[in-house]
Amino acid sequence: MTTREKLKKYFEAGDKPTQQEFEEWLDSYWHMEDLIPQDSVDLIEKAVPWIMDGVLYSNSLSITIPSNVKKVADEAFMNKGTGRYISEIKFKEGVEEIGIRSFNGQPVTKVKTPSTLKKIGEGAFTFYLFEEITLNEGLEYIGKVAFATFVSSIKSLYIPSTVTYVGEDAFKISSLETVSAPAGLDLSISGIPASKIIYR
């Protein structure tokens, strides 16, 4: 698509746009009859099947947090029994904070935080289906019970070197076998048994 600034130059006072310039203008916008592909916009949500252990439960939501969002509000997507289940979250670069209980109770299986994220609030992702947690360098604060879970298949966890605080039971994940953590980080209340931690 042609940029907005370039299109404006075609239609300045006294200009006579060519057929090609008019077509560029027309092709740079969606027509009301067009179906907009989901990957072409900063999508907030779309329906995806919710499958666990090979069983289809229902449609759930895949949501994308747009790049202009700095903070996901407290309890923004918390499961409050409304039947709106989220099984996939995609963060675009720009998010700096995930609020208290933002995604609490949602059946999210994989979490990958953007490189801009600094803080994860209390109970942000608490549930029981984690398969993968990927945390970004630059992350500093992880609140209590942020990733606490009852059932998980995660065997290993990497805590970035920039993390300076991990709250009570933040990583109370029974399936963990090894946790790589920066030297000097206090994990005594994190829910991770000391025998599982390898300091680097």
Side-chain angles (χ1 to χ4, degrees):
M1 289 189 181
T2 307
T3 66
R4 189 178 300 248
E5 290 308 311
K6 186 175 179 183
L7 291 173
K8 285 179 181 179
K9 292 191 181 302
Y10 295 161
F11 296 91
E12 291 174 339
D15 287 350
K16 293 184 181 178
T18 65
Q19 178 179 339
Q20 180 182 341
E21 290 170 338
F22 179 78
E23 288 173 359
E24 282 182 44
W25 170 77
L26 190 60
D27 290 339
S28 293
Y29 295 91
W30 301 109
H31 189 271
M32 61 185 226
E33 295 174 356
D34 293 339
L35 293 176
I36 301 173
Q38 291 182 338
D39 295 338
S40 298
V41 295
D42 267 347
L43 186 66
I44 298 298
E45 58 184 47
K46 66 179 178 181
V48 294
W50 174 19
I51 300 171
M52 184 173 66
D53 296 331
V55 177
L56 176 64
Y57 284 86
S58 68
N59 276 341
S60 63
L61 297 176
S62 169
I63 65 168
T64 300
I65 307 300
S67 56
N68 62 338
V69 171
K70 296 292 181 208
K71 178 182 178 181
V72 180
D74 295 350
E75 301 185 2
F77 297 95
M78 183 178 178
N79 183 352
K80 297 179 181 177
T82 61
R84 289 173 57 83
Y85 298 106
I86 297 169
S87 59
E88 181 179 76
I89 306 166
K90 297 176 185 174
F91 294 99
K92 294 209 172 178
E93 296 298 318
V95 178
E96 295 175 2
E97 182 177 348
I98 297 172
I100 295 169
R101 295 182 296 280
S102 290
F103 300 97
N104 188 286
Q106 294 292 359
V108 177
T109 56
K110 297 179 182 178
V111 175
K112 182 177 182 181
T113 58
S115 66
T116 50
L117 191 68
K118 303 286 185 204
K119 181 177 182 180
I120 298 174
E122 173 185 325
F125 295 99
T126 304
F127 199 56
Y128 60 90
L129 297 172
F130 293 121
E131 295 172 1
E132 186 178 317
I133 297 172
T134 307
L135 303 173
N136 62 292
E137 288 294 337
L139 181 64
E140 299 168 358
Y141 180 98
I142 302 169
K144 72 177 186 177
V145 297
F147 293 96
T149 183
F150 305 106
V151 178
S152 172
S153 61
I154 295 176
K155 301 290 184 199
S156 63
L157 175 70
Y158 177 87
I159 299 176
S161 59
T162 51
V163 173
T164 57
Y165 178 81
V166 177
E168 183 179 354
D169 290 337
F171 292 111
K172 191 170 186 177
I173 302 172
S174 60
S175 61
L176 281 176
E177 294 176 0
T178 59
V179 175
S180 174
L185 180 63
D186 182 5
L187 295 173
S188 60
I189 61 170
S190 68
I192 305 168
S195 61
K196 311 283 185 183
I197 303 168
I198 301 170
Y199 288 103
R200 48 179 202 279

